[in-house]
């Protein structure tokens, strides 16, 4: 590239700054994903859905490569890299919008899929410590128990209420279902035999409503915040695409000027 060629520094370094920030974030995601993958055992989470650690690695790696291309392209005014960055970002934008529209249109199907996922999580609760901690966190956070009702825990072989079940946890629910004061000492046996209680008796000891409705309700209550974050990300991506287009246009203009000057 011609040594006298110059593009707008504000556009160049604004684009570079955004790419650099996302590049650092993607590097952190990649590091966390690799760490999580190496220190945790593969188990129920792998068979439940896509492994969260693997997802972090894949997303982090893609973001790392894309934003690195954007950084170098913006800093060095390399058209091919800027075009790759721009088209990749446009494809991601289209996929995000398509995913949001499909999620809205097929919200019922999404709920049914979520129910199946939670159902599998309950069945495999004792098979993986990470999965167990995740479910306990959800139940404590949303003050819920099971999918639709506390009796859903009977689907787990350890908590099943059948007479032939030899488990000490027969007809129990996890401790995370229990109504506890934060000042109380944790009693991991607080949910024992609660499935045998009638709802009006059980509700004094445990949360009886399922987590699916609680999560959906939380989503509705925080719809503005979630929508705002999603819209903010879309606007930022559109802004970065626009900066890339402007920079490419400037590079083309400067090249034409240089070509004309050279011909003269």
């Amino acid at each position: 590239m011609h040594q006298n060629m110059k593009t707008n520094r504000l556009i160049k370094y604004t684009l570079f700054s955004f790419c650099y920030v996302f590049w650092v974030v993607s590097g952190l995601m990649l590091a966390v994903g690799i760490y999580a993958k190496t220190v945790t055992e593969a188990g129920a989470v792998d068979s439940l859905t896509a492994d969260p650690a693997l997802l972090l690695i894949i997303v982090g790696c893609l973001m790392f490569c894309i934003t690195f291309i954007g950084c170098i392209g913006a800093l060095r005014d390399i058209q091919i890299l800027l075009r790759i960055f721009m088209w990749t970002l446009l494809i991601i934008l289209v996929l995000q919008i398509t995913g949001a529209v499909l999620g809205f249109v097929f919200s019922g199907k999404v709920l049914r899929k979520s129910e199946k996922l939670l159902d599998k999580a309950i069945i495999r609760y004792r098979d993986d410590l990470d999965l167990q901690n995740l479910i306990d966190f959800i139940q404590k956070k949303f003050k819920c128990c099971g999918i639709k009702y506390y009796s859903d825990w009977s689907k787990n072989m350890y908590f099943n209420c059948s007479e032939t079940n030899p488990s000490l946890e027969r007809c129990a629910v996890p401790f995370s279902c229990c109504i506890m004061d934060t000042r109380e000492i944790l009693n991991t046996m607080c949910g024992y035999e609660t499935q045998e209680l009638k709802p009006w008796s059980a509700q004094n000891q445990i949360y009886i409503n399922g987590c699916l409705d609680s999560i959906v309700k939380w989503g509705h209550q925080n719809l503005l915040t979630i929508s705002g974050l999603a819209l903010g990300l879309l606007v930022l991506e559109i802004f970065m695409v626009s900066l890339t287009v402007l920079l490419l246009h400037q590079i083309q203009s400067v090249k034409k000027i240089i070509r004309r000057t050279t011909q003269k």
Side-chain angles (χ1 to χ4, degrees), residues 83-96:
R83 286 197 179 102
I84 292 169
F85 176 71
M86 181 186 69
W87 284 110
T88 307
L89 215 55
L90 282 170
I91 291 166
I92 292 168
L93 263 169
V94 170
L95 289 174
Q96 284 175 328

Side-chain angles (χ1 to χ4, degrees), residues 44-46 48-53 117-118 121-122 124-125 128-142 144 153 174-176 211 215:
V45 177
D46 294 318
L48 173 65
T49 181
D51 183 1
L117 196 65
L118 287 170
I122 280 178
R124 298 181 179 277
Y125 176 74
D128 185 86
L129 185 59
D130 292 328
L131 177 61
Q132 185 175 310
N133 289 334
L134 177 63
I135 294 171
D136 286 336
F137 171 79
I138 290 170
Q139 291 193 148
K140 285 188 284 187
K141 169 71 177 175
F142 293 101
C144 57
W153 278 103
F175 75 93
S176 52
C211 292
I215 293 169

